[in-house]
Amino acid sequence: MAAQAVDEPAAIQRPDSFGRFGKFGGKYVPETLMHALDELETAFKSLATDEAFQKELDGILRDYVGRESPLYFAERLTEHYKRPNGEGPLIYLKREDLNHTGAHKINNAVAQALLAKRLGKKRIIAETGAGQHGVATATVCARFGLECIIYMGAQDMERQALNVFRMRLLGAEVRAVHSGTATLKDATSEAIRDWVTNVETTHYILGSVAGPHPYPMMVRDFHAVIGKETRKQALEKWGGKPDVLVACIGGGSNAMGLFHEFVDDDNVRLIGVEAAGFGIDSGKHAATLTKGEVGVLHGAMSYLLQDEDGQIVEPHSISAGLDYPGVGPEHSFLKDLGRAEYYSITDEEALEAFKRLSRLEGIIPALETSHALAYLEKLCPTLPNGTRLVLNCSGRGDKDVQTAIKYLKV
């Protein structure tokens, strides 16, 4: 590895010892949380080399979560994007939708619950937008016998009533947050307030690669299994690497989980797809990396949707999991570095892709994932023949059927 680090300037320490990705990241938190974050980082680093912990985690990921998830060749989707001359890319889906609870979120939730047990913390709190991270957290708390409190924006609770019921069924207490826009940003703020108050007994299972250090690093590393499996599966299937990786971006954990393994492979394109809502210039979107400015939110510096006074602008997306006004600091770093590309997709385009994958492959994707799928419309015509593209199918769409019913004529 040492030689590679010299040859490839991309092989940078991410994050540095201060938890920064270039200028992004860091720990902008009240003094009361510094000790908890330091304790968490120490525990995380020691467990990374702890064979018993890794063995227990691998066992649970295999037998409980159902890993590894398949790398599936989407034959009819590939056919759909063939040009008149019969050329086009080969499209593969990394099937995170087949995990227990139906999304990638469980990878991180299981690992953090095990970590909390090692720290002797019996009370777990989490925030959730789409409800998938809330369901994953409630699931692992049931599995390990931990008390579970989930903060969720009141508006999201309405949109994701099914997931609210699932969390309560699993034994979690779901607390509605009415402040601000009553969505993910406000649920996160409320969860941080709870943590400040109960830091001695409580572990906060943050659900994305956002927040203060060590969370962006830790959540990424717990999801890195997605990219590691993809590398291995690609080698088995075609004896090489993917040429292009595509994933949707809200906070950015599913994308970071796929990208991390390949960041130092300069010949692999990394593409993140954000939510353009009603359109990039409508003011009603969640395209943080496309339209945001640098600022601090929820303990880290990153790109944010903010007005001239630095106040957070309310994001919008048809997908509850993407309407976050910030983004993980490592994505901000990869954007500025030019290592990853970020584009955005409207609600309407995402709904079309939601229907398209259902019809072509018999897979109903999450509306979050549908944003990544929709970008194929723009990307595929530009790709050379035989380009191997892996799209992270980050979640299944059962949770979004109620939303889709209002907009789609089927």
Short mmCIF file of all heavy atoms in Angstrom, two decimals, residues 236-295:
data_model
loop_
_atom_site.label_atom_id
_atom_site.label_comp_id
_atom_site.label_asym_id
_atom_site.label_seq_id
_atom_site.Cartn_x
_atom_site.Cartn_y
_atom_site.Cartn_z
N GLU A 236 -15.15 -11.74 -9.25
CA GLU A 236 -15.69 -13.08 -9.54
C GLU A 236 -16.48 -13.09 -10.84
O GLU A 236 -16.40 -14.02 -11.63
CB GLU A 236 -16.61 -13.53 -8.40
CG GLU A 236 -15.86 -13.94 -7.13
CD GLU A 236 -16.78 -14.01 -5.90
OE1 GLU A 236 -18.02 -13.83 -6.06
OE2 GLU A 236 -16.27 -14.22 -4.79
N LYS A 237 -17.27 -12.03 -11.07
CA LYS A 237 -18.19 -12.02 -12.22
C LYS A 237 -17.49 -11.70 -13.54
O LYS A 237 -17.80 -12.29 -14.55
CB LYS A 237 -19.32 -11.02 -11.98
CG LYS A 237 -20.39 -11.54 -11.04
CD LYS A 237 -21.56 -10.57 -10.94
CE LYS A 237 -22.56 -10.97 -9.89
NZ LYS A 237 -23.20 -12.26 -10.10
N TRP A 238 -16.61 -10.72 -13.54
CA TRP A 238 -15.97 -10.37 -14.82
C TRP A 238 -14.47 -10.16 -14.71
O TRP A 238 -13.82 -9.70 -15.65
CB TRP A 238 -16.66 -9.18 -15.49
CG TRP A 238 -16.57 -7.88 -14.74
CD1 TRP A 238 -15.53 -6.99 -14.74
CD2 TRP A 238 -17.58 -7.28 -13.91
NE1 TRP A 238 -15.81 -5.90 -13.97
CE2 TRP A 238 -17.08 -6.04 -13.44
CE3 TRP A 238 -18.87 -7.65 -13.52
CZ2 TRP A 238 -17.80 -5.19 -12.61
CZ3 TRP A 238 -19.58 -6.80 -12.68
CH2 TRP A 238 -19.05 -5.61 -12.22
N GLY A 239 -13.90 -10.51 -13.56
CA GLY A 239 -12.45 -10.49 -13.43
C GLY A 239 -11.84 -9.10 -13.43
O GLY A 239 -10.68 -8.91 -13.77
N GLY A 240 -12.65 -8.10 -13.03
CA GLY A 240 -12.12 -6.73 -12.98
C GLY A 240 -12.86 -5.89 -11.97
O GLY A 240 -13.48 -6.42 -11.04
N LYS A 241 -12.78 -4.57 -12.17
CA LYS A 241 -13.46 -3.63 -11.28
C LYS A 241 -14.65 -3.02 -12.01
O LYS A 241 -14.70 -3.07 -13.24
CB LYS A 241 -12.51 -2.48 -10.92
CG LYS A 241 -11.34 -2.89 -10.05
CD LYS A 241 -10.52 -1.69 -9.61
CE LYS A 241 -9.71 -1.09 -10.74
NZ LYS A 241 -8.61 -0.22 -10.25
N PRO A 242 -15.57 -2.40 -11.27
CA PRO A 242 -16.61 -1.62 -11.96
C PRO A 242 -15.93 -0.40 -12.60
O PRO A 242 -14.89 0.05 -12.11
CB PRO A 242 -17.55 -1.18 -10.84
CG PRO A 242 -17.15 -1.94 -9.62
CD PRO A 242 -15.73 -2.35 -9.81
N ASP A 243 -16.52 0.14 -13.66
CA ASP A 243 -16.01 1.38 -14.27
C ASP A 243 -16.66 2.60 -13.64
O ASP A 243 -16.04 3.66 -13.52
CB ASP A 243 -16.29 1.38 -15.78
CG ASP A 243 -15.61 0.21 -16.47
OD1 ASP A 243 -14.38 0.08 -16.32
OD2 ASP A 243 -16.31 -0.58 -17.13
N VAL A 244 -17.95 2.44 -13.28
CA VAL A 244 -18.72 3.56 -12.73
C VAL A 244 -19.55 3.07 -11.54
O VAL A 244 -20.15 1.99 -11.60
CB VAL A 244 -19.71 4.12 -13.80
CG1 VAL A 244 -20.41 5.37 -13.28
CG2 VAL A 244 -19.00 4.43 -15.10
N LEU A 245 -19.56 3.86 -10.48
CA LEU A 245 -20.41 3.57 -9.31
C LEU A 245 -21.42 4.71 -9.18
O LEU A 245 -21.06 5.88 -9.30
CB LEU A 245 -19.58 3.51 -8.02
CG LEU A 245 -18.45 2.47 -7.97
CD1 LEU A 245 -17.68 2.61 -6.66
CD2 LEU A 245 -18.99 1.06 -8.11
N VAL A 246 -22.69 4.36 -8.95
CA VAL A 246 -23.74 5.37 -8.82
C VAL A 246 -24.54 5.10 -7.55
O VAL A 246 -24.90 3.95 -7.27
CB VAL A 246 -24.70 5.34 -10.05
CG1 VAL A 246 -25.73 6.46 -9.95
CG2 VAL A 246 -23.94 5.46 -11.35
N ALA A 247 -24.81 6.17 -6.79
CA ALA A 247 -25.62 6.02 -5.57
C ALA A 247 -26.34 7.33 -5.27
O ALA A 247 -25.86 8.41 -5.66
CB ALA A 247 -24.73 5.65 -4.38
N CYS A 248 -27.48 7.23 -4.59
CA CYS A 248 -28.19 8.45 -4.21
C CYS A 248 -27.55 9.05 -2.95
O CYS A 248 -26.88 8.35 -2.19
CB CYS A 248 -29.67 8.15 -3.95
SG CYS A 248 -29.96 7.01 -2.58
N ILE A 249 -27.79 10.35 -2.77
CA ILE A 249 -27.18 11.07 -1.64
C ILE A 249 -28.22 11.89 -0.89
O ILE A 249 -28.89 12.74 -1.47
CB ILE A 249 -26.10 12.07 -2.13
CG1 ILE A 249 -25.09 11.38 -3.03
CG2 ILE A 249 -25.44 12.78 -0.96
CD1 ILE A 249 -23.75 11.13 -2.48
N GLY A 250 -28.35 11.60 0.39
CA GLY A 250 -29.11 12.46 1.31
C GLY A 250 -28.05 13.00 2.25
O GLY A 250 -27.42 14.02 2.05
N GLY A 251 -27.80 12.23 3.32
CA GLY A 251 -26.62 12.48 4.16
C GLY A 251 -25.42 11.85 3.46
O GLY A 251 -24.30 12.36 3.49
N GLY A 252 -25.68 10.68 2.84
CA GLY A 252 -24.67 10.06 1.99
C GLY A 252 -24.04 8.78 2.48
O GLY A 252 -22.96 8.41 2.03
N SER A 253 -24.73 8.04 3.38
CA SER A 253 -24.09 6.83 3.92
C SER A 253 -24.05 5.66 2.94
O SER A 253 -23.06 4.95 2.87
CB SER A 253 -24.74 6.40 5.24
OG SER A 253 -26.09 6.05 5.07
N ASN A 254 -25.12 5.48 2.16
CA ASN A 254 -25.08 4.33 1.23
C ASN A 254 -24.04 4.58 0.15
O ASN A 254 -23.32 3.67 -0.26
CB ASN A 254 -26.48 4.03 0.67
CG ASN A 254 -26.79 4.73 -0.64
OD1 ASN A 254 -26.45 4.25 -1.71
ND2 ASN A 254 -27.45 5.88 -0.55
N ALA A 255 -23.92 5.84 -0.29
CA ALA A 255 -22.93 6.18 -1.32
C ALA A 255 -21.51 6.02 -0.77
O ALA A 255 -20.65 5.43 -1.42
CB ALA A 255 -23.15 7.62 -1.79
N MET A 256 -21.28 6.51 0.44
CA MET A 256 -19.95 6.41 1.04
C MET A 256 -19.57 4.95 1.27
O MET A 256 -18.41 4.56 1.10
CB MET A 256 -19.94 7.19 2.36
CG MET A 256 -18.72 8.02 2.62
SD MET A 256 -18.13 9.04 1.28
CE MET A 256 -16.66 8.15 0.84
N GLY A 257 -20.56 4.13 1.63
CA GLY A 257 -20.32 2.69 1.83
C GLY A 257 -19.85 2.01 0.56
O GLY A 257 -18.99 1.14 0.59
N LEU A 258 -20.41 2.45 -0.58
CA LEU A 258 -20.02 1.89 -1.87
C LEU A 258 -18.71 2.52 -2.36
O LEU A 258 -17.82 1.84 -2.85
CB LEU A 258 -21.13 2.14 -2.90
CG LEU A 258 -20.87 1.64 -4.33
CD1 LEU A 258 -20.71 0.12 -4.38
CD2 LEU A 258 -21.99 2.08 -5.27
N PHE A 259 -18.58 3.85 -2.22
CA PHE A 259 -17.43 4.57 -2.77
C PHE A 259 -16.11 4.29 -2.04
O PHE A 259 -15.05 4.25 -2.67
CB PHE A 259 -17.65 6.09 -2.71
CG PHE A 259 -18.74 6.63 -3.60
CD1 PHE A 259 -19.07 7.99 -3.55
CD2 PHE A 259 -19.45 5.81 -4.48
CE1 PHE A 259 -20.08 8.51 -4.36
CE2 PHE A 259 -20.46 6.32 -5.29
CZ PHE A 259 -20.78 7.69 -5.22
N HIS A 260 -16.17 4.16 -0.72
CA HIS A 260 -14.96 4.17 0.12
C HIS A 260 -13.88 3.21 -0.38
O HIS A 260 -12.70 3.56 -0.48
CB HIS A 260 -15.32 3.86 1.57
CG HIS A 260 -14.14 3.89 2.50
ND1 HIS A 260 -13.31 4.99 2.60
CD2 HIS A 260 -13.64 2.97 3.35
CE1 HIS A 260 -12.34 4.73 3.47
NE2 HIS A 260 -12.53 3.51 3.95
N GLU A 261 -14.29 2.01 -0.73
CA GLU A 261 -13.37 0.98 -1.20
C GLU A 261 -12.63 1.40 -2.48
O GLU A 261 -11.52 0.94 -2.75
CB GLU A 261 -14.17 -0.31 -1.43
CG GLU A 261 -13.43 -1.46 -2.06
CD GLU A 261 -12.40 -2.12 -1.14
OE1 GLU A 261 -12.47 -1.93 0.10
OE2 GLU A 261 -11.52 -2.81 -1.66
N PHE A 262 -13.27 2.30 -3.26
CA PHE A 262 -12.75 2.61 -4.60
C PHE A 262 -12.19 4.03 -4.73
O PHE A 262 -11.78 4.41 -5.83
CB PHE A 262 -13.86 2.42 -5.64
CG PHE A 262 -14.34 0.99 -5.75
CD1 PHE A 262 -15.47 0.56 -5.06
CD2 PHE A 262 -13.65 0.07 -6.54
CE1 PHE A 262 -15.92 -0.75 -5.16
CE2 PHE A 262 -14.10 -1.25 -6.66
CZ PHE A 262 -15.22 -1.66 -5.96
N VAL A 263 -12.17 4.80 -3.66
CA VAL A 263 -11.73 6.20 -3.76
C VAL A 263 -10.31 6.30 -4.33
O VAL A 263 -10.00 7.20 -5.12
CB VAL A 263 -11.83 6.92 -2.39
CG1 VAL A 263 -11.11 8.27 -2.42
CG2 VAL A 263 -13.30 7.15 -2.03
N ASP A 264 -9.44 5.38 -3.96
CA ASP A 264 -8.06 5.42 -4.44
C ASP A 264 -7.86 4.76 -5.80
O ASP A 264 -6.76 4.74 -6.34
CB ASP A 264 -7.11 4.78 -3.40
CG ASP A 264 -7.10 5.58 -2.09
OD1 ASP A 264 -7.36 6.80 -2.15
OD2 ASP A 264 -6.85 4.99 -1.03
N ASP A 265 -8.94 4.19 -6.36
CA ASP A 265 -8.88 3.63 -7.73
C ASP A 265 -9.29 4.73 -8.71
O ASP A 265 -10.47 4.92 -8.98
CB ASP A 265 -9.86 2.45 -7.87
CG ASP A 265 -9.48 1.26 -7.02
OD1 ASP A 265 -9.75 1.27 -5.80
OD2 ASP A 265 -8.90 0.32 -7.57
N ASP A 266 -8.30 5.45 -9.21
CA ASP A 266 -8.59 6.62 -10.05
C ASP A 266 -9.42 6.32 -11.29
O ASP A 266 -10.07 7.20 -11.85
CB ASP A 266 -7.27 7.28 -10.49
CG ASP A 266 -6.63 8.02 -9.32
OD1 ASP A 266 -7.31 8.20 -8.31
OD2 ASP A 266 -5.44 8.39 -9.44
N ASN A 267 -9.37 5.05 -11.76
CA ASN A 267 -10.09 4.71 -12.99
C ASN A 267 -11.54 4.29 -12.73
O ASN A 267 -12.24 3.86 -13.64
CB ASN A 267 -9.35 3.62 -13.76
CG ASN A 267 -9.03 2.42 -12.88
OD1 ASN A 267 -9.30 2.44 -11.68
ND2 ASN A 267 -8.46 1.38 -13.46
N VAL A 268 -12.01 4.43 -11.48
CA VAL A 268 -13.42 4.14 -11.18
C VAL A 268 -14.14 5.47 -10.94
O VAL A 268 -13.77 6.22 -10.04
CB VAL A 268 -13.56 3.23 -9.94
CG1 VAL A 268 -15.03 2.98 -9.62
CG2 VAL A 268 -12.84 1.91 -10.15
N ARG A 269 -15.14 5.75 -11.76
CA ARG A 269 -15.91 7.00 -11.60
C ARG A 269 -16.89 6.87 -10.44
O ARG A 269 -17.59 5.85 -10.32
CB ARG A 269 -16.72 7.30 -12.86
CG ARG A 269 -16.06 8.21 -13.84
CD ARG A 269 -16.94 8.39 -15.07
NE ARG A 269 -17.89 9.48 -14.96
CZ ARG A 269 -18.81 9.77 -15.89
NH1 ARG A 269 -18.91 9.02 -16.98
NH2 ARG A 269 -19.63 10.78 -15.73
N LEU A 270 -16.97 7.89 -9.60
CA LEU A 270 -17.90 7.90 -8.47
C LEU A 270 -18.95 8.97 -8.73
O LEU A 270 -18.63 10.15 -8.90
CB LEU A 270 -17.16 8.23 -7.16
CG LEU A 270 -15.88 7.44 -6.86
CD1 LEU A 270 -15.25 7.94 -5.56
CD2 LEU A 270 -16.17 5.95 -6.77
N ILE A 271 -20.23 8.56 -8.76
CA ILE A 271 -21.31 9.51 -9.07
C ILE A 271 -22.38 9.47 -7.98
O ILE A 271 -22.97 8.42 -7.71
CB ILE A 271 -21.93 9.19 -10.45
CG1 ILE A 271 -20.87 9.35 -11.54
CG2 ILE A 271 -23.13 10.10 -10.71
CD1 ILE A 271 -21.36 8.99 -12.94
N GLY A 272 -22.61 10.62 -7.37
CA GLY A 272 -23.64 10.76 -6.35
C GLY A 272 -24.82 11.53 -6.92
O GLY A 272 -24.63 12.49 -7.68
N VAL A 273 -26.04 11.12 -6.57
CA VAL A 273 -27.24 11.76 -7.13
C VAL A 273 -28.11 12.31 -6.00
O VAL A 273 -28.56 11.57 -5.14
CB VAL A 273 -28.05 10.77 -8.00
CG1 VAL A 273 -29.21 11.49 -8.67
CG2 VAL A 273 -27.15 10.11 -9.04
N GLU A 274 -28.30 13.62 -6.03
CA GLU A 274 -29.09 14.29 -5.00
C GLU A 274 -30.52 14.53 -5.46
O GLU A 274 -30.86 14.30 -6.63
CB GLU A 274 -28.47 15.65 -4.68
CG GLU A 274 -27.05 15.60 -4.17
CD GLU A 274 -26.58 16.96 -3.70
OE1 GLU A 274 -26.46 17.88 -4.51
OE2 GLU A 274 -26.34 17.09 -2.50
N ALA A 275 -31.34 15.07 -4.55
CA ALA A 275 -32.74 15.34 -4.86
C ALA A 275 -32.91 16.78 -5.34
O ALA A 275 -32.64 17.73 -4.60
CB ALA A 275 -33.59 15.10 -3.62
N ALA A 276 -33.38 16.94 -6.59
CA ALA A 276 -33.63 18.29 -7.11
C ALA A 276 -35.07 18.74 -6.84
O ALA A 276 -35.47 19.82 -7.25
CB ALA A 276 -33.34 18.33 -8.61
N GLY A 277 -35.86 17.88 -6.16
CA GLY A 277 -37.22 18.27 -5.78
C GLY A 277 -38.05 18.75 -6.95
O GLY A 277 -38.24 18.05 -7.94
N PHE A 278 -38.54 20.00 -6.84
CA PHE A 278 -39.34 20.59 -7.93
C PHE A 278 -38.45 21.20 -9.01
O PHE A 278 -38.94 21.83 -9.94
CB PHE A 278 -40.28 21.68 -7.39
CG PHE A 278 -41.35 21.16 -6.47
CD1 PHE A 278 -41.74 21.89 -5.35
CD2 PHE A 278 -41.97 19.94 -6.71
CE1 PHE A 278 -42.73 21.41 -4.49
CE2 PHE A 278 -42.96 19.46 -5.87
CZ PHE A 278 -43.34 20.19 -4.76
N GLY A 279 -37.15 21.06 -8.85
CA GLY A 279 -36.20 21.64 -9.81
C GLY A 279 -35.16 22.47 -9.08
O GLY A 279 -35.46 23.10 -8.06
N ILE A 280 -33.95 22.48 -9.60
CA ILE A 280 -32.82 23.13 -8.96
C ILE A 280 -33.06 24.62 -8.71
O ILE A 280 -32.59 25.18 -7.74
CB ILE A 280 -31.55 22.94 -9.84
CG1 ILE A 280 -30.96 21.56 -9.58
CG2 ILE A 280 -30.49 23.96 -9.61
CD1 ILE A 280 -30.49 21.36 -8.17
N ASP A 281 -33.81 25.28 -9.62
CA ASP A 281 -34.01 26.72 -9.47
C ASP A 281 -35.34 27.07 -8.83
O ASP A 281 -35.73 28.23 -8.75
CB ASP A 281 -33.88 27.40 -10.85
CG ASP A 281 -32.49 27.16 -11.45
OD1 ASP A 281 -31.51 27.27 -10.69
OD2 ASP A 281 -32.40 26.84 -12.65
N SER A 282 -36.04 26.03 -8.33
CA SER A 282 -37.37 26.27 -7.75
C SER A 282 -37.28 26.74 -6.30
O SER A 282 -38.25 27.23 -5.73
CB SER A 282 -38.19 24.97 -7.79
OG SER A 282 -37.58 24.02 -6.91
N GLY A 283 -36.11 26.53 -5.69
CA GLY A 283 -35.99 26.83 -4.25
C GLY A 283 -36.56 25.70 -3.41
O GLY A 283 -36.46 25.69 -2.19
N LYS A 284 -37.16 24.71 -4.07
CA LYS A 284 -37.74 23.55 -3.35
C LYS A 284 -36.98 22.30 -3.77
O LYS A 284 -37.40 21.56 -4.66
CB LYS A 284 -39.23 23.39 -3.71
CG LYS A 284 -40.11 24.48 -3.17
CD LYS A 284 -40.23 24.38 -1.68
CE LYS A 284 -41.61 24.61 -1.16
NZ LYS A 284 -41.64 24.41 0.30
N HIS A 285 -35.82 22.08 -3.14
CA HIS A 285 -34.98 20.93 -3.49
C HIS A 285 -34.11 20.57 -2.30
O HIS A 285 -34.17 21.22 -1.25
CB HIS A 285 -34.12 21.25 -4.71
CG HIS A 285 -33.17 22.40 -4.49
ND1 HIS A 285 -32.00 22.26 -3.78
CD2 HIS A 285 -33.24 23.70 -4.86
CE1 HIS A 285 -31.38 23.42 -3.72
NE2 HIS A 285 -32.11 24.32 -4.36
N ALA A 286 -33.32 19.52 -2.46
CA ALA A 286 -32.38 19.13 -1.39
C ALA A 286 -31.00 18.86 -2.01
O ALA A 286 -30.28 17.97 -1.57
CB ALA A 286 -32.91 17.88 -0.68
N ALA A 287 -30.67 19.65 -3.05
CA ALA A 287 -29.41 19.44 -3.78
C ALA A 287 -28.27 20.23 -3.12
O ALA A 287 -27.80 21.23 -3.65
CB ALA A 287 -29.59 19.83 -5.23
N THR A 288 -27.84 19.74 -1.98
CA THR A 288 -26.86 20.45 -1.16
C THR A 288 -25.52 20.65 -1.85
O THR A 288 -24.92 21.72 -1.76
CB THR A 288 -26.63 19.65 0.15
OG1 THR A 288 -27.89 19.30 0.70
CG2 THR A 288 -25.86 20.48 1.15
N LEU A 289 -25.03 19.62 -2.54
CA LEU A 289 -23.71 19.72 -3.16
C LEU A 289 -23.75 20.54 -4.45
O LEU A 289 -22.74 21.09 -4.88
CB LEU A 289 -23.14 18.32 -3.44
CG LEU A 289 -22.72 17.58 -2.15
CD1 LEU A 289 -22.59 16.09 -2.41
CD2 LEU A 289 -21.42 18.12 -1.60
N THR A 290 -24.94 20.62 -5.06
CA THR A 290 -25.09 21.39 -6.29
C THR A 290 -25.29 22.87 -5.97
O THR A 290 -24.72 23.73 -6.63
CB THR A 290 -26.32 20.87 -7.08
OG1 THR A 290 -26.25 19.44 -7.14
CG2 THR A 290 -26.36 21.41 -8.49
N LYS A 291 -26.09 23.15 -4.94
CA LYS A 291 -26.50 24.53 -4.67
C LYS A 291 -26.06 25.08 -3.32
O LYS A 291 -26.31 26.24 -3.02
CB LYS A 291 -28.03 24.63 -4.76
CG LYS A 291 -28.61 24.48 -6.15
CD LYS A 291 -28.22 25.61 -7.06
CE LYS A 291 -29.42 26.33 -7.62
NZ LYS A 291 -29.05 27.34 -8.62
N GLY A 292 -25.44 24.24 -2.49
CA GLY A 292 -25.15 24.66 -1.12
C GLY A 292 -23.93 25.55 -0.98
O GLY A 292 -23.14 25.71 -1.90
N GLU A 293 -23.79 26.13 0.24
CA GLU A 293 -22.61 26.91 0.62
C GLU A 293 -22.03 26.25 1.86
O GLU A 293 -22.74 25.57 2.61
CB GLU A 293 -23.01 28.35 0.97
CG GLU A 293 -23.76 29.09 -0.13
CD GLU A 293 -22.84 29.55 -1.25
OE1 GLU A 293 -21.62 29.68 -1.00
OE2 GLU A 293 -23.34 29.76 -2.37
N VAL A 294 -20.74 26.48 2.11
CA VAL A 294 -20.09 25.85 3.26
C VAL A 294 -20.59 26.48 4.56
O VAL A 294 -20.71 27.70 4.67
CB VAL A 294 -18.55 25.99 3.15
CG1 VAL A 294 -17.87 25.41 4.39
CG2 VAL A 294 -18.05 25.27 1.90
N GLY A 295 -20.89 25.64 5.54
CA GLY A 295 -21.34 26.11 6.86
C GLY A 295 -21.27 24.98 7.86
O GLY A 295 -20.78 23.89 7.54
#
